[in-house]
Amino acid sequence: MHLYLPIAGNSVNVFLMIGLGGLVGFLSGLFGVGGGFLMTPLLMMYGIPPTVAAASDSNQIVAASASGCYTHYRAKTIDVRMGVLMLVGGIAGGTVGVQLIKLLRRLGEADFAITVVYVLMLGGIGSYMFFESLIALRGRPSRAAAPRSPMYRRMVGALPFKVYFPRSKVTITALMPLLLGTLVGTLAAIMGVGGGFIMVPIMIYLLRMPMHVVVGTSLFQILFTCINVTVLQAHFNHSVDFVLALLLLIGSVVGAQIGIRIGRRLRADQLKILMAVLVLGVMVKMLLGLLLRPEFLVAYKGGH
Amino acid sequence: MRQVRLAAIALAIFAVFAIWPQHAATQIAGATGDLMVVPERVEIDLAYNGANIEVGAEVPAGYEAAVRLMSRPERLELKKLGKRAGLLWMGAGTVTFENLPVVYQVLSTAPLANLGTPVLRAQWMLGYESLIPDHTPGADLRGDLVGLKEHGGLFALREGALVRRGKSASLVAPAAEPPQRLRGTFRLPASAPAGDYSVDLIGFKDQRAVHLASATLHIEHAGAVRIVRRLALDHGLTYGAAASLIAIVVGLLTGVLFRSKSNEGH
């Protein structure tokens, strides 16, 4: 059964799109990531124009993250205070990132530099999470659980505006989530992805938040970021295909709920190692895309 | 002075005669044909998944023929992929093709190479070389562009897919050999854009060509597709806000539904 997408200008298999939405929603519920890094390339492979794929994906993430946020809110696993600070930083960082990417593109080698940095960063974060969780699963104390180095503690301790975050049970300077949010927002704008899977490791390792609060807080932040992107894309680029988003979100809201339920049954280290596998998988996929000769030496412009 | 004028006239007459036979050799006087496109109008609604466009043609006896369907030519800018640092395949600038149709398909009774010379085929825009000639920008990426377009079903050269359906019963010229009936099908993918497409029937005989008939195929948006497009294009901000709101409501409802199901389970 096929349905024509008015803005994408192509038709899609209804069940395939719902299934795709379900898969990405599942990952979203399990790990607190938006899933844009997975969904957008899959939609492009299906023949959806890149700009429409990215914008409509943002629209469906709104539904999946709203669904996940509700469940996390009821379970009291969203640190709203932390989330708002990171969101403010993220929006500021996104604005900076958009300007930065314009500047880098003018300089010429931006695409090359960005892609290489992205692959290295994913590889680094993924490998660190994987081995750290593996050690913890084997019963040894993990480095994340161990106290931070004196220099790191001194640096963080010297910063002003200390705030207690009761939901995360940490006392840190309000500047940390704000600055880290800005950093992720900038990176996300440059890379063209939501940044969930950069944000999650940062919350675990630098802000030292509990894993289940990390997932809920990440979804909270993603919800507002994606609302912003959807409205802006619809207004300026006319690239949101609501019919496509609707098909995807039917699957993703259900998938997100299943992901959350399975996530609750897993230990934090099990969740982390799965997240590490996902991040490394994305890195390998990107690396293969860079190393293997493409089928055609021309491609449609736009998108991520 | 008079001698100069006479020499100029003689040169002009010579030039006309030198050029004229070459041009005339590509044309066939008096040949007529007929072309029918079914359906002539295609409506893109929510259930649309591409369309089969049947063409029926009538050409004089002894002719080979080609039917060319194409959208209006426009400018296309693509990302060029190249190897960077001798290792990584990624974006390496852009390439622009001027006057390239989004959709270009040809059905023919025989391989295009057998129908006429490359010059003749170029004149009638038959074959990819005629769309992107060698001297134009991006010609070195012609194969990749065609591959990309064929992959999406927008470009197609189907040589031999215009098949003969026996002799026509036409009584227009009973003494002469009756015309041939031809039939073929264009497969338009769902991604073919709305607009007017030109369909042309070209006949070939003895390395000469003639335009026999033409028709127009109209593709337009209809029903819910038209309404959604109008909303998205004319009221982008409201459309975006509504799309977000609906997504939030669906997300929250699913959350509530799953919560109540989960409570029932306990």
Side-chain angles (χ1 to χ4, degrees):
Chain A
M1 186 186 167
H2 283 78
L3 205 60
Y4 185 81
L5 308 176
I7 306 299
N10 208 342
S11 70
V12 289
N13 184 300
V14 171
F15 302 112
L16 190 69
M17 288 299 118
I18 292 174
L20 199 60
L23 172 73
V24 175
F26 175 75
L27 295 177
S28 170
L30 193 58
F31 302 120
V33 295
F37 62 93
L38 189 67
M39 180 74 93
T40 305
L42 286 173
L43 290 175
M44 281 163 61
M45 275 167 61
Y46 199 82
I48 307 298
T51 46
V52 179
S56 310
D57 188 27
S58 293
N59 191 192
Q60 76 83 19
I61 293 172
V62 170
S65 50
S67 169
C69 269
Y70 174 79
T71 309
H72 279 284
Y73 179 76
R74 303 285 307 192
K76 295 185 172 41
T77 48
I78 295 179
D79 192 329
V80 177
R81 193 180 286 182
M82 187 81 84
V84 168
L85 282 171
M86 295 183 92
L87 183 64
V88 170
I91 290 171
T95 313
V96 172
V98 168
Q99 298 307 318
L100 196 62
I101 193 75
K102 274 187 191 166
L103 181 73
L104 285 170
R105 292 238 153 93
R106 228 177 288 150
L107 294 175
E109 293 295 315
D111 284 349
F112 177 73
I114 288 165
T115 313
V116 171
V117 168
Y118 199 31
V119 168
L120 290 176
M121 200 174 68
L122 287 181
I125 292 173
S127 305
Y128 181 82
M129 279 181 82
F130 184 82
F131 288 111
E132 193 263 335
S133 311
L134 200 65
I135 290 166
L137 282 173
R138 284 177 178 169
R140 294 178 212 162
S142 76
R143 270 178 284 175
R148 293 268 164 213
S149 71
M151 198 171 130
Y152 177 84
R153 271 187 294 162
R154 254 204 318 274
M155 269 173 59
V156 174
L159 293 170
F161 310 116
K162 285 203 174 49
V163 179
Y164 177 62
F165 295 89
R167 201 51 56 86
S168 300
K169 296 186 177 68
V170 291
T171 304
I172 48 166
T173 166
L175 293 176
M176 279 279 282
L178 207 59
L179 290 175
L180 290 171
T182 308
L183 174 74
V184 173
T186 310
L187 282 174
I190 291 174
M191 311 299 185
V193 292
F197 61 104
I198 309 172
M199 186 66 94
V200 169
I202 279 179
M203 285 198 255
I204 298 169
Y205 293 108
L206 295 181
L207 300 178
R208 302 175 61 74
M209 291 164 64
M211 187 65 194
H212 286 100
V213 179
V214 164
V215 174
T217 310
S218 175
L219 285 177
F220 172 81
Q221 203 220 354
I222 286 168
L223 170 66
F224 289 97
T225 308
C226 286
I227 290 173
N228 184 39
V229 171
T230 302
V231 174
L232 291 180
Q233 290 276 27
H235 182 52
F236 291 111
N237 298 328
H238 310 293
S239 51
V240 175
D241 196 312
F242 184 64
V243 176
L244 173 61
L246 196 65
L247 290 178
L248 295 172
L249 71 84
I250 289 169
S252 72
V253 288
V254 177
Q257 291 296 329
I258 296 169
I260 289 168
R261 271 155 183 76
I262 290 179
R264 278 185 192 151
R265 290 180 192 172
L266 295 173
R267 283 168 39 201
D269 288 319
Q270 290 171 323
L271 265 177
K272 270 194 258 178
I273 206 163
L274 286 175
M275 175 73 184
V277 169
L278 182 71
V279 170
L280 287 174
V282 173
M283 190 274 288
V284 169
K285 182 190 161 288
M286 284 192 73
L287 197 60
L288 285 177
L290 291 170
L291 292 174
L292 301 177
R293 189 187 190 278
E295 192 178 359
F296 309 117
L297 295 183
V298 288
Y300 294 110
K301 290 177 79 180
H304 291 167
Chain B
M1 190 65 188
R2 195 179 166 196
Q3 282 174 331
V4 172
R5 198 177 296 157
L6 281 172
I9 292 168
L11 198 66
I13 293 168
F14 172 77
V16 166
F17 275 93
I19 296 163
W20 178 255
Q22 282 179 17
H23 182 67
T26 64
Q27 306 288 334
I28 308 167
T32 56
D34 196 15
L35 179 65
M36 197 169 65
V37 175
V38 180
E40 282 184 331
R41 186 174 294 274
V42 174
E43 289 196 337
I44 299 179
D45 55 17
L46 279 178
Y48 181 70
N49 187 28
N52 285 331
I53 309 297
E54 306 283 342
V55 289
E58 210 170 75
V59 299
Y63 276 63
E64 296 292 348
V67 180
R68 185 194 66 210
L69 176 145
M70 59 187 253
S71 59
R72 192 174 296 140
E74 53 190 68
R75 191 169 189 265
L76 174 68
E77 196 171 84
L78 293 175
K79 189 163 68 176
K80 199 158 67 172
L81 302 174
K83 219 168 191 182
R84 307 293 289 274
L87 186 70
L88 306 175
W89 287 97
M90 51 196 310
T94 56
V95 57
T96 306
F97 297 92
E98 302 289 348
N99 298 318
L100 191 76
V102 177
V103 176
Y104 173 82
Q105 299 193 7
V106 175
L107 304 175
S108 64
T109 52
L112 289 181
N114 297 352
L115 296 185
T117 62
V119 175
L120 196 63
R121 293 201 302 272
Q123 186 185 343
W124 296 102
M125 285 191 78
L126 293 172
Y128 298 131
E129 291 82 2
S130 66
L131 280 184
I132 313 149
D134 285 336
H135 57 275
T136 55
D140 55 324
L141 291 167
R142 186 196 295 132
D144 293 287
L145 169 78
V146 167
L148 186 71
K149 289 279 199 174
E150 283 189 338
H151 184 73
L154 295 167
F155 277 20
L157 289 184
R158 297 179 57 211
E159 296 168 317
L162 192 61
V163 293
R164 290 181 171 81
R165 303 278 296 167
K167 305 286 185 188
S168 170
S170 167
L171 298 174
V172 175
E177 184 86 10
Q180 314 168 77
R181 280 178 175 176
L182 307 172
R183 198 179 153 211
T185 306
F186 288 111
R187 171 68 194 154
L188 277 185
S191 57
D196 285 350
Y197 291 66
S198 63
V199 188
D200 293 279
L201 172 66
I202 299 133
F204 293 87
K205 192 178 183 186
D206 303 332
Q207 297 295 311
R208 290 183 298 168
V210 61
H211 184 264
L212 293 169
S214 63
T216 304
L217 169 70
H218 307 278
I219 302 185
E220 60 191 21
H221 297 117
V225 170
R226 186 189 288 172
I227 294 167
V228 173
R229 282 184 65 83
R230 199 170 289 167
L231 269 174
L233 299 177
D234 298 343
H235 309 281
L237 193 62
T238 314
Y239 173 83
S244 296
L245 192 68
I246 293 169
I248 292 169
V249 170
V250 173
L252 291 179
L253 282 177
T254 317
V256 173
L257 194 73
F258 266 76
R259 186 178 159 74
S260 59
K261 286 229 174 203
S262 141
N263 287 345
E264 277 170 26
H266 291 293

